[in-house]
């Protein structure tokens, strides 16, 4: 069978909409600007599994679906397989918009679909989602950094009290052990605190001595 899909589509899209003319219009608009419909559905319950199976670049969800609310379907998708989501709706009241944003929806398309709005909207959703993921990573990195700093500060205190070191000497001892063992300073600190029964954290670190 001849494959008519572009080799490198602009986006691979999952579309969930039970209104056949609307679904067809969306599919035609996607194809017209170089995208492909990776999968289609008609029910809210299908959305998470379709996204998990096809891993699309973006998802278009209608608000009104036979078995429930597209906004709630978006929430389930974001919980199970996060990705950019665009809500296709004829209702743009503040209640729907607020719920959709809380659910993780990145952009909106208004029925009836205007073709010239589709590409900018999908691009916007993809860009916003990338920013969202980057922010999550930055926050996670910051949290890890703060946790590592707290561990190192506590480990320095142990060394100061045990050996009568200055703060700078305690830090250098942790740093030297980290370099010699090729392990992060936070792991060295965690291991030292573990030997003192003071870590209060995960028990995976190996006990060690910094004498």
């Amino acid at each position: 069978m001849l494959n008519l899909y572009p080799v490198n589509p602009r986006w691979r899209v999952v579309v969930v909409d039970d209104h056949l003319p609307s679904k067809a219009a969306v599919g035609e608009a996607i194809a017209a600007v170089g995208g492909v419909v990776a999968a289609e559905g008609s029910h809210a319950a299908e959305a998470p599994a379709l996204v998990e199976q096809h891993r699309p670049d973006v998802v278009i969800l209608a608000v009104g679906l036979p078995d429930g609310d597209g906004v709630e379907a978006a929430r389930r998708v974001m919980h199970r397989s996060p990705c950019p989501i665009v809500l296709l709706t004829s209702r743009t009241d503040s209640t729907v918009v607020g719920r959709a944003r809380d659910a993780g929806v990145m952009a909106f398309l208004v029925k009836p679909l205007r073709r010239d709005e589709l590409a900018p909207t999908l691009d916007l959703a993809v860009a916003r989602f990338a920013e969202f993921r980057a922010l999550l990573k930055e926050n996670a990195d910051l949290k890890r950094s703060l946790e590592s700093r707290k561990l190192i500060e506590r480990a320095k205190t142990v060394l100061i009290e045990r050996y009568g070191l200055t703060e700078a000497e305690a830090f250098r001892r942790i740093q030297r052990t980290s370099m010699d063992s090729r392990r992060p300073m936070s792991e060295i600190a965690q291991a030292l605190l573990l030997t003192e029964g003071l870590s209060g954290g995960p028990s995976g670190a190996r006990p060690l001595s910094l004498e």
Side-chain angles (χ1 to χ4, degrees):
M1 180 177 178
L2 181 63
N3 184 2
L4 300 178
Y5 288 166
V7 175
N8 296 304
R10 186 169 179 176
W11 331 270
R12 296 177 63 259
V13 188
V14 164
V15 180
V16 180
D17 187 355
D18 69 313
H19 188 249
L20 294 181
S22 172
K23 188 188 297 184
V26 169
E28 290 170 4
I30 290 169
V33 289
V36 299
V37 176
E40 294 182 342
S42 302
H43 295 78
E46 297 177 275
L50 285 173
V51 173
E52 188 171 42
Q53 178 182 352
H54 295 279
R55 299 291 177 183
D57 299 306
V58 61
V59 179
I60 298 177
L61 282 171
V63 172
L65 294 166
D67 60 334
D69 185 357
V71 176
E72 185 56 36
R75 190 184 306 279
R76 293 197 294 269
V77 167
M78 288 299 289
H79 177 74
R80 183 165 161 179
S81 302
C83 69
I85 297 176
V86 174
L87 202 66
L88 181 61
T89 177
S90 56
R91 298 164 48 204
T92 55
D93 59 85
S94 59
T95 301
V96 171
V97 171
R99 288 181 58 237
R101 286 177 176 165
D102 289 344
V105 170
M106 297 290 158
F108 299 83
L109 284 169
V110 179
K111 291 182 178 182
L113 177 69
R114 294 173 57 182
R115 282 198 176 192
D116 59 346
E117 294 179 353
L118 183 129
T121 301
L122 297 193
D123 284 340
L124 175 62
V126 171
R128 282 179 171 172
F129 185 75
E131 291 173 0
F132 169 72
R133 292 298 290 265
L135 182 59
L136 286 182
K137 183 180 184 303
E138 182 180 334
N139 288 341
D141 290 345
L142 178 60
K143 182 179 179 180
R144 282 193 295 270
S145 177
L146 291 173
E147 290 172 347
S148 295
R149 182 174 177 179
K150 288 178 183 179
L151 284 171
I152 293 167
E153 289 297 319
R154 293 172 66 195
K156 280 164 46 180
T157 300
V158 169
L159 293 175
I160 290 168
E161 293 176 351
R162 181 190 291 177
Y163 301 113
L165 304 177
T166 66
E167 183 174 350
E169 289 169 339
F171 179 83
R172 283 195 295 271
R173 187 168 293 194
I174 295 171
Q175 186 180 52
R176 186 175 62 248
T177 304
S178 170
M179 294 173 64
D180 290 346
S181 64
R182 298 183 180 180
R183 294 160 61 189
M185 288 181 66
S186 58
E187 186 176 326
I188 299 302
Q190 174 78 34
L192 174 63
L193 293 170
L194 187 63
T195 66
E196 300 290 318
L198 298 173
S199 70
S203 59
R206 300 190 298 274
L208 85 167
S209 171
L210 277 74
E211 295 185 29

